[in-house]
Amino acid sequence: MPSAQIIARKPNHIQRIFQISARILVLIALAFGSCSSAFADEPKITVDADVQPIDFRTSKEVNDFIDFMVTRHGFSRTELEIVFSQVQFSAQSIQLIKPAPPTKLKNWEAYRTRFIEPIRIKAGVEFWTKYAATLNRAEKEYGVPAQIIVGIIGIETLYGKNVGKFRVLDVLSTLSFAYPDTPTRESRMAYFLSELEQSLLFARESGIDPFSLIGSYAGAIGWGQFMPSSIRQYGVDFDGDGKIDLRNSPEDAIGSVANFLSQHGWETGLPLVFPATIVNDHPEDMLAKELNATFTLQQLADVAVPTLKSTPAQPLYGLIDLQNGEKPTEYWLATHNFFAITKYNRSYFYAMSVIELGKAVCHAKFPHISCD
């Protein structure tokens, strides 16, 4: 994610946000996930009374942002003023982005049940059947198995059924300039302001009306729920029509998901995850909190050992936990490929659900072959 430099003049709100270091912006992106599964579903909500709209036409912060886009990227001030005169405040995005109160213990079984279910599996089989040739091509070109791509798109949007109905410019502008009052407000505003910048750049590069970008309440777009920065960096014109369209082209979505994983270290043929048995009272000390596979089995042996004798000794592993509420926590040994999936969404639950859904769809489609 770019860290922009603004012309030298008296510091203002936009300068302070964009002068956050590149390292912090990267961490913000990782915290959200470069792409995000949580953004596609939009339940009916009641907006709190304290959500107050802003007028983008008269906002000083918006005016400063326009100055930045003109100076840094050569946009027309008049055209951007026209754009922001048409941007609408999204009270729903403010309400939906607020962190939920911590009410329950994490529960992998409940999370898994939400996504690994008959309707999603059936839709996955239909998707795989319809786009088999494209999935095979993506696997050959990027080395990412079809069932992993199928798993991600199924978790993200139920194969295109829940891609979002918000104008991306509305929600990104709202979250950039009117983010709710939370402990992470400044960093989140910086993140969404960068995505607003990226959405305008993408629209200009693609020759499209920026208001034609439709997505989730947080600005994620298409079958794979890519944020604008991820579209510019990892999006692929996989159907060969001369444009990247992740909302209307499942082929582009397939290629883009595969390219994303490839660019985040996917290794062809490397297995994903193996069950572990804990042999130490403090396994949390060895958990892969940085989402990387950095240990050999020998280095992990004082804390966790493979449950299965067939677990290969060669790869590096990271220890992960899947908490099950009041039930015992599951522990697993995860490879680089598991953690490549967490770059899509920084969650053990998410990555494991992608793997499990892909496997379930594969078993349903190919009942006589191994999908492990």
Side-chain angles (χ1 to χ4, degrees):
M1 188 180 301
S3 178
Q5 297 296 319
I6 301 183
I7 55 175
R9 60 177 186 167
K10 184 170 71 174
N12 57 40
H13 172 76
I14 302 300
Q15 283 178 301
R16 289 196 299 273
I17 288 181
F18 271 97
Q19 286 169 352
I20 292 177
S21 71
R23 170 176 163 75
I24 293 177
L25 280 175
V26 168
L27 291 175
I28 294 166
L30 290 176
F32 271 84
S34 297
C35 313
S36 179
S37 67
F39 296 158
D41 295 333
E42 288 136 16
K44 293 181 179 179
I45 61 164
T46 301
V47 177
D48 290 344
D50 63 351
V51 176
Q52 297 297 320
I54 66 169
D55 188 340
F56 296 104
R57 298 170 298 177
T58 60
S59 166
K60 181 181 182 301
E61 288 76 15
V62 173
N63 185 69
D64 290 338
F65 177 71
I66 290 174
D67 282 347
F68 163 72
M69 296 299 289
V70 170
T71 302
R72 178 63 183 265
H73 299 298
F75 278 81
S76 160
R77 164 167 278 280
T78 300
E79 289 179 0
L80 286 182
E81 287 175 346
I82 293 172
V83 166
F84 281 101
S85 73
Q86 299 175 52
V87 169
Q88 298 175 7
F89 181 83
S90 175
Q92 281 195 323
S93 68
I94 293 290
Q95 190 68 29
L96 287 165
I97 208 71
K98 290 181 178 180
T103 56
K104 296 181 180 179
L105 296 173
K106 292 182 179 180
N107 191 314
W108 160 239
E109 289 184 1
Y111 185 98
R112 184 187 187 281
T113 301
R114 176 185 172 191
F115 291 106
I116 319 304
E117 45 82 27
I119 291 176
R120 206 170 299 254
I121 293 169
K122 181 176 183 292
V125 171
E126 293 170 355
F127 175 81
W128 196 331
T129 300
K130 184 173 182 178
Y131 297 105
T134 304
L135 288 162
N136 290 338
R137 181 160 60 93
E139 182 167 351
K140 289 178 182 178
E141 192 164 328
Y142 297 104
V144 179
Q147 72 184 59
I148 296 299
I149 302 171
V150 169
I152 285 179
I153 294 176
I155 298 296
E156 292 292 341
T157 62
L158 217 176
Y159 306 102
K161 291 181 174 60
N162 300 323
V163 294
K165 298 178 181 179
F166 291 87
R167 295 198 309 183
V168 168
L169 226 54
D170 291 342
V171 298
L172 292 180
S173 297
T174 299
L175 298 173
S176 294
F177 302 112
Y179 197 89
D181 188 12
T182 67
T184 59
R185 183 174 190 266
E186 289 298 316
S187 63
R188 295 296 173 95
M189 287 173 70
Y191 172 79
F192 285 112
L193 192 65
S194 180
E195 292 298 337
L196 178 59
E197 174 194 11
Q198 296 297 310
S199 68
L200 290 168
L201 289 169
F202 174 68
R204 183 174 68 175
E205 292 163 353
S206 303
I208 61 176
D209 179 351
F211 289 106
S212 70
L213 295 173
I214 306 298
S216 75
Y217 66 85
I221 298 168
W223 290 55
Q225 291 292 278
F226 275 45
M227 294 300 285
S229 61
S230 290
I231 297 178
R232 292 190 71 222
Q233 190 167 3
Y234 307 110
V236 175
D237 172 21
F238 212 54
D239 62 8
D241 68 351
K243 60 183 179 181
I244 298 170
D245 185 353
L246 302 190
R247 184 178 178 88
N248 299 305
S249 172
E251 293 86 353
D252 285 1
I254 288 168
S256 298
V257 169
N259 183 46
F260 180 95
L261 292 176
S262 175
Q263 295 297 319
H264 284 85
W266 186 274
E267 298 180 24
T268 303
L270 185 70
L272 287 156
V273 67
F274 298 90
T277 300
I278 298 302
V279 296
N280 184 298
D281 290 337
H282 300 285
E284 63 275 5
D285 295 339
M286 293 293 283
L287 290 176
K289 297 175 183 176
E290 298 302 316
L291 302 182
N292 287 309
T294 56
F295 297 111
T296 64
L297 289 181
Q298 185 175 357
Q299 290 171 322
L300 286 167
D302 290 339
V303 175
V305 297
T307 302
L308 303 176
K309 293 183 178 180
S310 58
T311 304
Q314 294 80 15
L316 293 176
Y317 292 97
L319 182 66
I320 68 165
D321 63 335
L322 301 178
Q323 298 175 37
N324 270 320
E326 300 294 341
K327 296 181 180 179
T329 297
E330 296 179 21
Y331 291 91
W332 294 76
L333 300 168
T335 71
H336 283 300
N337 282 355
F338 178 93
F339 292 112
I341 300 173
T342 67
K343 303 307 185 291
Y344 210 99
N345 182 310
R346 287 175 63 85
S347 162
Y348 296 160
F349 282 13
Y350 175 84
M352 189 64 84
S353 67
V354 165
I355 294 166
E356 291 290 314
L357 178 60
K359 188 183 299 184
V361 174
C362 179
H363 281 307
K365 181 171 173 56
F366 305 107
H368 301 300
I369 69 171
S370 173
C371 298
D372 297 328

